[in-house]
Every structure is written in structure tokens, then in C-alpha cells.
Amino acid sequence: MFDDLRDLYQEVIFDHNRNPRNFRVMEDADRQVEGFNPLCGDRLTLFLKMDGDQIVDASFQGSGCAISTASVSLMTEIVKGKTEEQAEALFKQFHEMTTGKEENIDLEAIGKLAVLAGVREYPARVKCATLAWHTLDAALKNEESSISTE
Amino acid sequence: MTTFPIEKIRADFPILNEKIRNKPLIYLDNAATCQKPLVVIDSISNFYKHEYANVHRGVHTLSVKATDRYEGAREKLKTFINASSTKEIIFVKGTTEAINLVAQTFGKTNIKQGDEILITAMEHHSNIVPWQMLCKDTGAILKVAPINLQGELIFDEFEKLISDKTKLVSVVHMSNALGTINPVKKIIAAAKAKNIPVLLDGAQAIPHMSVDVQALDCDFYAFSGHKMYAPTGIGVLYGKQALLEAMPPYQGGGDMIRKVTFEETEYNALPYKFEAGTPSIADVVGLGTAIDYLTEIGMDNIANYEAELLDYATKKAKQIEGLRIIGEAKDKGAILSFVLDKVHPHDIGTMLDSLGIAIRAGHHCAMPVMDFFEVPATARASFAMYNTRQEIDVLMNGIEQLIEVFG
Ligand SMILES: Cc1ncc(COP(=O)(O)O)c(C=O)c1O
């Protein structure tokens, strides 16, 4: 019945939505930032544990749609062990994948995150996928304790 | 009651023939804005083709024609809501501007530090923020009457909040987030007992029921054209003449003046005092046509038909496991707001869109209502007179299917 949506809602997304990874409060986090999408009310808190400029642990709390939950869940998995610079580079790639030109996407660099490429066709849902990454960006830049997609 | 001419009505709305993602459009986002019948679309187009000019300015034939059409629409609105004079019909951009107008003119002159403005916990942001801004400027206090878990105003609490300091009561006639129809007669009677003026936000009520401002005895009534089958960019502030006379103008400019020198300006009479600048002329004409259209069908017929639709949708929704209806007031308009245990409203919106069904997912410009029900957002199906039981069947079937997919 929902065949048209296969590209958007891939099985991996359902899986992460049902069983989000790293879904916990991190008591000894070095960075903690809240991300908020006022359009839909999605809210998440991202926790990072740093060792120098390396992300050694990432976790999150909050409630959102399947796309935003899967996106943040996947992100916390993939950024573990990355340096700030590597994580920022991934953010750029992710941004390109969801909003940029198709030919600029580096599928190899993006890896598992490619399951979220389907949002390209759903402009109303792009912010659901990018909320996690904007929150990470703010956490790495250590700028604010809360950000909003608007 | 004669049977409702649903087939004929559907045929009046060209957009209902559209395909969305290869499926026939099922438009259930009418509380956000509703679709336009061909007569309205044509009347705007014909007006531009044959009668368009600026109003109240020229002696030339077209200007006179355009002015006649524009003022003719005002006359229709007066009859439609049973105002006592066309002086009480102020054309504005919409409900939002109407409320801001009252806040900035009536509010600034009558509301002072320590005074209170009373609203309810189910207001749209446009009946919250203008008052907060006024409170910030004046030092007045915004009081909020609570609602219960059915989404109904707790009337006793509302009454208790009316005090000697209350200078204005401003409440929504029908809630866009919950569908609740407020007991406005009781509200107005309670306020009148203490000589407090009442503003009703009629944005949602006006397309769904007949409204008689004199029978209601409200002081202000605000509504938007685009939610009542008319164009965007046009709406009405009704105000009792005596109140409007005493209020200072809202904006300054052309049309709202009688005489201007550099030393002094004499303001124009009602309603022009509040209509500075060239108005949205063709949209007013379109609104006039929409009123004719609605009048021909009959507001009571529309209300009856939509009540049946809501009843049907509510019964079906209640059979779906894991669905929770947000807003179950006894007196309710054709809005079904709901959440699902396992599926976020945003996902519901995208899934249903793939079936050609347009619903709204979000906070509906009523974040305090979402907070009260402890949900980040809801999915909302809002009905209009052109919707059918078959469409509701497709909606409910879609919801059941998507629950399965997410399960
Ligand atoms: C209850 C209510 N009040 C006010 C408004 C604001 O109307 P507009 O955006 O047309 O000014 C709306 C529209 O969503 C509404 O539903």
C-alpha cells in the first residue's frame, strides 16, 4: 500500500525507530545540547564524551518522528571514534546528500547514512533528518546549549 | 431536512479533480485553509477582466463599478453575520490582523498597568501573542482560563478569573486544534454582567455554523476569508459601532482620512477609519461571492452535514487500537485531532500523503494545547462540506495500514 514510500522509509529506518541506539542519558557528558524543530515539536538532547578533539561516546534522549529518530540514532553510532574535523566533514556530506546536488554525494564517505537519502524527495521532511546533525554541529562548536532548526 | 447536495457541491470545486501522487486528492486540511469553488475563482478573474480599478478614488466609470462591488461585498457580510450596519464591517488581512488591530487600538487606549485580559488555554497563537505584546507595552496581565481533558473550557474557573480588573475577554469560538466549540453565549453573559467587552476569534467557527453577532452580543468578531471558501489576504473585523467610533485608527495613510494638512489630520468615518491604503479589492469581491455561495447552500445545512461526517469519523477512529483522539468536547466542530501510540504525527502525515490524503501534522499554532495534552504534535483531519464518508473510509483504512507498517 505504501510502495511509493520505500525509498523514504527503508527497513533500517524502521529498525532504528523501533530500537534507537545509544538512547540514554550520559551522566558524565562533556557536551550536552538540545535540538528543537519548532515546526513539528521534535526535541532531542545530544550528549558527547570527548577526549581531546575525539568523540569517544555519543548518546541522545528525546522524541521525534521515525526519520529524526533514525537519523540521530545512526549519527550517534557513526560519529563515535571520529575527530571533530571528521564529524564536521560527515555533516557536510550529509547536508549535501539531503539537500544538495545528487552528483556531489560521496556514497562511500556517507556509508550507512545513505538510507536517509530518500528525504531529498520530501522537502517537508529534510529538517527531520538534519536536526541531529545541526545539534551535533552546535555541540562541537560548543556554541549554545540549545539550537532550533528555524 | 432535504438531502445535502454533496455531488453538486463537489463538482463546484475544481481542485477536487487533482491527483496527488497518482491518487485522487482527499483534502482534509480545511482548518488550515479550505479550497475554493469555481464561482469564487471566476468572480475574481472576471472582476480583473471587466471591472477592476481602485476604489473610493475616481469619478471614472470603472472606479465607480469597482467601488460598488467592494461595498456590495461589505453589505453581504453585514447580512451574513447580522451586523447592524456596514460601518461595523472592517476589512483586514485576516483574523490575525483583526486581533492585532483590536490590541493596538482598543487595547492601547483602554488597557493599563495592572489590568487583566482573559483568554482560554485553547487559543491559537494569534489570540495569545498580540495580548502578550500589549501586556509588555502596558504592564497589563494575561489571564488564562483552564481546559479539562476533554478539551472543554472549565467554565467555573473561567468565571472565577473575571475580576474588576478584567478589561477584555478574548476567546476562540471554535478551537482549531481540538474542534471544541466554546459556550460563547454563557461566556458573553458572564462578561457582560461586569460590563467587560468580549472578542470572539471566529476563524474556525465562521465556515461551519451560522453566526449572528447581534444575537451573540459580542463586541468584536474576527475571521478570515480563506477558511470560508474565499481568497487569502482578506478577512473581517466586526466591531460594535460605539466601540469602533471611540477607538483610535490602526494605521495611517490614504482612505482613512477626511482632511490632511501638515499640522493636523481629520480621520474618516467608519469603516474607512480602519482601512488605510488600497485594500485587497478583488479578494473582497471573491469573499462576497463566497458568501453568496454559502448562503445558497445554507449554513445550517452545512452544519448538519458536517456534524454527521464528524460523528462517522469519530466512531471509526475509536475502533482503531492505539489511536487517541485529542479533543472530545461535547460541543464540537468537524475536526478530528489524534495521536497514535507507535507513529509520530509527522510520519502519519507523510504516509497518508502517499495515499493522496492531505492532513495536518504539527502543533496547529497552539503549542500550549500540545503541552497540556503532553504531546509534541497531533495529526489533524479537518473536514469541510465537500468531504464524504467514503473519504473518511479511505483515511481510516490508511491509518490502520500505516500502524501495521510501523508496528
Ligand atoms: C482559531 C484560529 N484563530 C486564528 C487563526 C489565524 O487566522 P489567519 O492566519 O487567517 O490570520 C486561525 C488560523 O489558523 C485559527 O484557526
Side-chain angles (χ1 to χ4, degrees), chain B residues 148-180:
Chain B
N148 63 24
L149 284 170
Q150 278 69 53
E152 296 163 323
L153 178 68
I154 305 174
F155 190 77
D156 291 350
E157 298 294 326
F158 170 82
E159 241 182 341
K160 277 189 218 150
L161 283 168
I162 299 181
S163 78
D164 294 341
K165 292 186 186 140
T166 312
K167 289 284 147 44
L168 181 73
V169 169
S170 188
V171 300
V172 70
H173 192 170
M174 170 175 155
S175 155
N176 66 307
L178 303 166
T180 308

mmCIF file of all heavy atoms in Angstrom, chain B residues 148-180:
data_model
loop_
_atom_site.group_PDB
_atom_site.id
_atom_site.type_symbol
_atom_site.label_atom_id
_atom_site.label_comp_id
_atom_site.label_asym_id
_atom_site.label_seq_id
_atom_site.Cartn_x
_atom_site.Cartn_y
_atom_site.Cartn_z
ATOM 1 N N ASN B 148 -10.296 21.209 30.430
ATOM 2 C CA ASN B 148 -10.234 19.863 31.005
ATOM 3 C C ASN B 148 -9.691 18.872 29.971
ATOM 4 O O ASN B 148 -9.360 19.252 28.853
ATOM 5 C CB ASN B 148 -11.604 19.434 31.550
ATOM 6 C CG ASN B 148 -12.663 19.343 30.443
ATOM 7 O OD1 ASN B 148 -12.329 19.167 29.275
ATOM 8 N ND2 ASN B 148 -13.926 19.458 30.821
ATOM 9 N N LEU B 149 -9.637 17.604 30.347
ATOM 10 C CA LEU B 149 -9.012 16.607 29.470
ATOM 11 C C LEU B 149 -9.842 16.284 28.218
ATOM 12 O O LEU B 149 -9.346 15.691 27.271
ATOM 13 C CB LEU B 149 -8.709 15.327 30.243
ATOM 14 C CG LEU B 149 -7.484 15.448 31.171
ATOM 15 C CD1 LEU B 149 -7.373 14.248 32.085
ATOM 16 C CD2 LEU B 149 -6.190 15.636 30.376
ATOM 17 N N GLN B 150 -11.114 16.708 28.234
ATOM 18 C CA GLN B 150 -11.909 16.564 27.008
ATOM 19 C C GLN B 150 -11.605 17.710 26.044
ATOM 20 O O GLN B 150 -12.055 17.702 24.909
ATOM 21 C CB GLN B 150 -13.419 16.569 27.317
ATOM 22 C CG GLN B 150 -13.986 15.249 27.775
ATOM 23 C CD GLN B 150 -13.484 14.878 29.148
ATOM 24 O OE1 GLN B 150 -13.589 15.670 30.084
ATOM 25 N NE2 GLN B 150 -12.910 13.692 29.276
ATOM 26 N N GLY B 151 -10.885 18.709 26.560
ATOM 27 C CA GLY B 151 -10.593 19.871 25.723
ATOM 28 C C GLY B 151 -11.689 20.922 25.815
ATOM 29 O O GLY B 151 -11.843 21.749 24.919
ATOM 30 N N GLU B 152 -12.458 20.882 26.928
ATOM 31 C CA GLU B 152 -13.512 21.882 27.123
ATOM 32 C C GLU B 152 -13.057 22.937 28.124
ATOM 33 O O GLU B 152 -12.318 22.626 29.068
ATOM 34 C CB GLU B 152 -14.783 21.216 27.695
ATOM 35 C CG GLU B 152 -15.401 20.215 26.756
ATOM 36 C CD GLU B 152 -16.391 19.286 27.468
ATOM 37 O OE1 GLU B 152 -16.133 18.902 28.631
ATOM 38 O OE2 GLU B 152 -17.410 18.959 26.845
ATOM 39 N N LEU B 153 -13.534 24.143 27.907
ATOM 40 C CA LEU B 153 -13.274 25.206 28.875
ATOM 41 C C LEU B 153 -13.910 24.817 30.216
ATOM 42 O O LEU B 153 -15.047 24.362 30.257
ATOM 43 C CB LEU B 153 -13.902 26.511 28.369
ATOM 44 C CG LEU B 153 -13.774 27.725 29.295
ATOM 45 C CD1 LEU B 153 -12.325 28.170 29.401
ATOM 46 C CD2 LEU B 153 -14.647 28.871 28.781
ATOM 47 N N ILE B 154 -13.151 24.997 31.309
ATOM 48 C CA ILE B 154 -13.736 24.766 32.635
ATOM 49 C C ILE B 154 -14.427 26.075 33.031
ATOM 50 O O ILE B 154 -13.784 27.029 33.461
ATOM 51 C CB ILE B 154 -12.656 24.360 33.658
ATOM 52 C CG1 ILE B 154 -11.883 23.132 33.137
ATOM 53 C CG2 ILE B 154 -13.288 24.077 35.031
ATOM 54 C CD1 ILE B 154 -10.703 22.726 33.990
ATOM 55 N N PHE B 155 -15.733 26.099 32.828
ATOM 56 C CA PHE B 155 -16.443 27.369 32.893
ATOM 57 C C PHE B 155 -16.369 28.022 34.276
ATOM 58 O O PHE B 155 -16.222 29.247 34.389
ATOM 59 C CB PHE B 155 -17.902 27.190 32.442
ATOM 60 C CG PHE B 155 -18.595 28.504 32.262
ATOM 61 C CD1 PHE B 155 -18.358 29.274 31.131
ATOM 62 C CD2 PHE B 155 -19.442 28.997 33.241
ATOM 63 C CE1 PHE B 155 -18.962 30.513 30.965
ATOM 64 C CE2 PHE B 155 -20.046 30.231 33.091
ATOM 65 C CZ PHE B 155 -19.813 30.991 31.952
ATOM 66 N N ASP B 156 -16.459 27.202 35.328
ATOM 67 C CA ASP B 156 -16.393 27.759 36.695
ATOM 68 C C ASP B 156 -15.092 28.506 36.918
ATOM 69 O O ASP B 156 -15.073 29.576 37.529
ATOM 70 C CB ASP B 156 -16.502 26.638 37.737
ATOM 71 C CG ASP B 156 -17.893 26.037 37.744
ATOM 72 O OD1 ASP B 156 -18.779 26.630 37.091
ATOM 73 O OD2 ASP B 156 -18.083 24.983 38.378
ATOM 74 N N GLU B 157 -14.018 27.910 36.418
ATOM 75 C CA GLU B 157 -12.701 28.549 36.584
ATOM 76 C C GLU B 157 -12.642 29.830 35.762
ATOM 77 O O GLU B 157 -12.064 30.836 36.196
ATOM 78 C CB GLU B 157 -11.583 27.595 36.131
ATOM 79 C CG GLU B 157 -11.507 26.313 36.945
ATOM 80 C CD GLU B 157 -11.100 26.585 38.387
ATOM 81 O OE1 GLU B 157 -10.298 27.511 38.610
ATOM 82 O OE2 GLU B 157 -11.619 25.879 39.286
ATOM 83 N N PHE B 158 -13.219 29.764 34.578
ATOM 84 C CA PHE B 158 -13.264 30.958 33.729
ATOM 85 C C PHE B 158 -13.979 32.085 34.468
ATOM 86 O O PHE B 158 -13.497 33.216 34.537
ATOM 87 C CB PHE B 158 -13.979 30.630 32.415
ATOM 88 C CG PHE B 158 -14.298 31.832 31.574
ATOM 89 C CD1 PHE B 158 -13.331 32.391 30.745
ATOM 90 C CD2 PHE B 158 -15.561 32.418 31.631
ATOM 91 C CE1 PHE B 158 -13.621 33.517 29.986
ATOM 92 C CE2 PHE B 158 -15.853 33.544 30.874
ATOM 93 C CZ PHE B 158 -14.883 34.091 30.051
ATOM 94 N N GLU B 159 -15.134 31.755 35.036
ATOM 95 C CA GLU B 159 -15.928 32.769 35.741
ATOM 96 C C GLU B 159 -15.164 33.368 36.909
ATOM 97 O O GLU B 159 -15.207 34.573 37.144
ATOM 98 C CB GLU B 159 -17.227 32.131 36.239
ATOM 99 C CG GLU B 159 -18.433 32.792 35.653
ATOM 100 C CD GLU B 159 -19.726 32.207 36.164
ATOM 101 O OE1 GLU B 159 -19.731 31.066 36.692
ATOM 102 O OE2 GLU B 159 -20.743 32.905 36.022
ATOM 103 N N LYS B 160 -14.427 32.489 37.607
ATOM 104 C CA LYS B 160 -13.666 32.976 38.770
ATOM 105 C C LYS B 160 -12.577 33.951 38.362
ATOM 106 O O LYS B 160 -12.155 34.784 39.143
ATOM 107 C CB LYS B 160 -13.030 31.789 39.499
ATOM 108 C CG LYS B 160 -13.972 31.095 40.456
ATOM 109 C CD LYS B 160 -13.199 30.079 41.280
ATOM 110 C CE LYS B 160 -14.025 28.826 41.512
ATOM 111 N NZ LYS B 160 -13.224 27.624 41.648
ATOM 112 N N LEU B 161 -12.095 33.788 37.130
ATOM 113 C CA LEU B 161 -10.990 34.649 36.679
ATOM 114 C C LEU B 161 -11.467 36.027 36.209
ATOM 115 O O LEU B 161 -10.666 36.919 35.970
ATOM 116 C CB LEU B 161 -10.209 33.953 35.554
ATOM 117 C CG LEU B 161 -9.269 32.842 36.036
ATOM 118 C CD1 LEU B 161 -8.767 32.019 34.866
ATOM 119 C CD2 LEU B 161 -8.106 33.427 36.817
ATOM 120 N N ILE B 162 -12.788 36.171 36.060
ATOM 121 C CA ILE B 162 -13.305 37.504 35.720
ATOM 122 C C ILE B 162 -13.270 38.355 36.986
ATOM 123 O O ILE B 162 -13.841 37.975 38.004
ATOM 124 C CB ILE B 162 -14.761 37.430 35.210
ATOM 125 C CG1 ILE B 162 -14.826 36.572 33.941
ATOM 126 C CG2 ILE B 162 -15.293 38.825 34.924
ATOM 127 C CD1 ILE B 162 -16.221 36.460 33.369
ATOM 128 N N SER B 163 -12.561 39.474 36.912
ATOM 129 C CA SER B 163 -12.449 40.309 38.111
ATOM 130 C C SER B 163 -12.721 41.763 37.748
ATOM 131 O O SER B 163 -12.996 42.092 36.593
ATOM 132 C CB SER B 163 -11.047 40.181 38.697
ATOM 133 O OG SER B 163 -10.141 40.960 37.933
ATOM 134 N N ASP B 164 -12.633 42.615 38.740
ATOM 135 C CA ASP B 164 -12.823 44.048 38.497
ATOM 136 C C ASP B 164 -11.728 44.606 37.606
ATOM 137 O O ASP B 164 -11.870 45.671 37.018
ATOM 138 C CB ASP B 164 -12.827 44.812 39.824
ATOM 139 C CG ASP B 164 -14.028 44.428 40.659
ATOM 140 O OD1 ASP B 164 -14.988 43.880 40.063
ATOM 141 O OD2 ASP B 164 -14.006 44.641 41.882
ATOM 142 N N LYS B 165 -10.626 43.865 37.523
ATOM 143 C CA LYS B 165 -9.505 44.349 36.713
ATOM 144 C C LYS B 165 -9.604 43.906 35.251
ATOM 145 O O LYS B 165 -8.865 44.383 34.409
ATOM 146 C CB LYS B 165 -8.191 43.822 37.287
ATOM 147 C CG LYS B 165 -7.861 44.406 38.636
ATOM 148 C CD LYS B 165 -6.488 43.934 39.059
ATOM 149 C CE LYS B 165 -6.186 44.382 40.463
ATOM 150 N NZ LYS B 165 -5.503 43.330 41.212
ATOM 151 N N THR B 166 -10.513 42.952 34.988
ATOM 152 C CA THR B 166 -10.611 42.432 33.621
ATOM 153 C C THR B 166 -11.135 43.516 32.688
ATOM 154 O O THR B 166 -12.209 44.069 32.910
ATOM 155 C CB THR B 166 -11.561 41.213 33.583
ATOM 156 O OG1 THR B 166 -11.212 40.329 34.643
ATOM 157 C CG2 THR B 166 -11.431 40.482 32.248
ATOM 158 N N LYS B 167 -10.386 43.788 31.637
ATOM 159 C CA LYS B 167 -10.794 44.848 30.707
ATOM 160 C C LYS B 167 -11.222 44.286 29.357
ATOM 161 O O LYS B 167 -11.789 45.000 28.534
ATOM 162 C CB LYS B 167 -9.644 45.847 30.515
ATOM 163 C CG LYS B 167 -9.386 46.702 31.743
ATOM 164 C CD LYS B 167 -10.447 47.797 31.885
ATOM 165 C CE LYS B 167 -10.806 48.179 33.287
ATOM 166 N NZ LYS B 167 -9.783 48.369 34.249
ATOM 167 N N LEU B 168 -10.900 43.019 29.115
ATOM 168 C CA LEU B 168 -11.305 42.402 27.856
ATOM 169 C C LEU B 168 -11.273 40.883 28.003
ATOM 170 O O LEU B 168 -10.366 40.334 28.627
ATOM 171 C CB LEU B 168 -10.360 42.814 26.712
ATOM 172 C CG LEU B 168 -10.708 42.239 25.334
ATOM 173 C CD1 LEU B 168 -11.950 42.919 24.756
ATOM 174 C CD2 LEU B 168 -9.555 42.397 24.352
ATOM 175 N N VAL B 169 -12.292 40.234 27.442
ATOM 176 C CA VAL B 169 -12.293 38.775 27.342
ATOM 177 C C VAL B 169 -12.133 38.454 25.862
ATOM 178 O O VAL B 169 -12.861 38.999 25.033
ATOM 179 C CB VAL B 169 -13.616 38.189 27.891
ATOM 180 C CG1 VAL B 169 -13.732 36.720 27.543
ATOM 181 C CG2 VAL B 169 -13.711 38.400 29.400
ATOM 182 N N SER B 170 -11.143 37.618 25.533
ATOM 183 C CA SER B 170 -10.925 37.286 24.127
ATOM 184 C C SER B 170 -10.795 35.775 24.005
ATOM 185 O O SER B 170 -9.822 35.181 24.464
ATOM 186 C CB SER B 170 -9.654 37.984 23.623
ATOM 187 O OG SER B 170 -9.534 37.809 22.232
ATOM 188 N N VAL B 171 -11.809 35.147 23.405
ATOM 189 C CA VAL B 171 -11.814 33.677 23.357
ATOM 190 C C VAL B 171 -12.125 33.170 21.952
ATOM 191 O O VAL B 171 -12.761 33.851 21.151
ATOM 192 C CB VAL B 171 -12.829 33.053 24.348
ATOM 193 C CG1 VAL B 171 -12.523 33.442 25.773
ATOM 194 C CG2 VAL B 171 -14.241 33.446 23.994
ATOM 195 N N VAL B 172 -11.661 31.962 21.717
ATOM 196 C CA VAL B 172 -11.896 31.336 20.418
ATOM 197 C C VAL B 172 -13.323 30.769 20.401
ATOM 198 O O VAL B 172 -13.793 30.200 21.395
ATOM 199 C CB VAL B 172 -10.819 30.257 20.163
ATOM 200 C CG1 VAL B 172 -10.999 29.041 21.067
ATOM 201 C CG2 VAL B 172 -10.796 29.827 18.706
ATOM 202 N N HIS B 173 -14.023 30.980 19.296
ATOM 203 C CA HIS B 173 -15.386 30.449 19.177
ATOM 204 C C HIS B 173 -15.317 28.931 18.976
ATOM 205 O O HIS B 173 -15.978 28.174 19.661
ATOM 206 C CB HIS B 173 -16.090 31.139 17.996
ATOM 207 C CG HIS B 173 -17.573 30.897 17.942
ATOM 208 N ND1 HIS B 173 -18.395 31.575 17.094
ATOM 209 C CD2 HIS B 173 -18.363 30.046 18.617
ATOM 210 C CE1 HIS B 173 -19.644 31.142 17.249
ATOM 211 N NE2 HIS B 173 -19.646 30.215 18.169
ATOM 212 N N MET B 174 -14.458 28.509 18.029
ATOM 213 C CA MET B 174 -14.241 27.072 17.811
ATOM 214 C C MET B 174 -12.740 26.843 17.682
ATOM 215 O O MET B 174 -12.078 27.507 16.884
ATOM 216 C CB MET B 174 -14.974 26.616 16.546
ATOM 217 C CG MET B 174 -14.614 25.210 16.110
ATOM 218 S SD MET B 174 -15.630 24.711 14.684
ATOM 219 C CE MET B 174 -14.540 23.476 13.965
ATOM 220 N N SER B 175 -12.223 25.910 18.462
ATOM 221 C CA SER B 175 -10.775 25.680 18.502
ATOM 222 C C SER B 175 -10.274 24.938 17.267
ATOM 223 O O SER B 175 -10.859 23.933 16.867
ATOM 224 C CB SER B 175 -10.419 24.879 19.759
ATOM 225 O OG SER B 175 -9.208 24.169 19.553
ATOM 226 N N ASN B 176 -9.186 25.422 16.693
ATOM 227 C CA ASN B 176 -8.632 24.763 15.510
ATOM 228 C C ASN B 176 -7.848 23.508 15.869
ATOM 229 O O ASN B 176 -7.705 22.613 15.050
ATOM 230 C CB ASN B 176 -7.713 25.727 14.746
ATOM 231 C CG ASN B 176 -6.480 26.077 15.543
ATOM 232 O OD1 ASN B 176 -6.586 26.500 16.687
ATOM 233 N ND2 ASN B 176 -5.316 25.883 14.964
ATOM 234 N N ALA B 177 -7.336 23.431 17.091
ATOM 235 C CA ALA B 177 -6.520 22.278 17.474
ATOM 236 C C ALA B 177 -7.382 21.131 18.004
ATOM 237 O O ALA B 177 -7.014 19.968 17.870
ATOM 238 C CB ALA B 177 -5.497 22.687 18.526
ATOM 239 N N LEU B 178 -8.534 21.460 18.595
ATOM 240 C CA LEU B 178 -9.345 20.452 19.285
ATOM 241 C C LEU B 178 -10.745 20.282 18.699
ATOM 242 O O LEU B 178 -11.399 19.271 18.937
ATOM 243 C CB LEU B 178 -9.495 20.840 20.762
ATOM 244 C CG LEU B 178 -8.191 21.019 21.542
ATOM 245 C CD1 LEU B 178 -8.465 21.725 22.858
ATOM 246 C CD2 LEU B 178 -7.545 19.663 21.774
ATOM 247 N N GLY B 179 -11.201 21.281 18.000
ATOM 248 C CA GLY B 179 -12.567 21.250 17.480
ATOM 249 C C GLY B 179 -13.604 21.785 18.453
ATOM 250 O O GLY B 179 -14.763 22.004 18.079
ATOM 251 N N THR B 180 -13.217 21.986 19.700
ATOM 252 C CA THR B 180 -14.144 22.442 20.728
ATOM 253 C C THR B 180 -14.901 23.709 20.316
ATOM 254 O O THR B 180 -14.286 24.668 19.862
ATOM 255 C CB THR B 180 -13.366 22.785 22.024
ATOM 256 O OG1 THR B 180 -12.542 21.670 22.352
ATOM 257 C CG2 THR B 180 -14.302 23.137 23.167
#
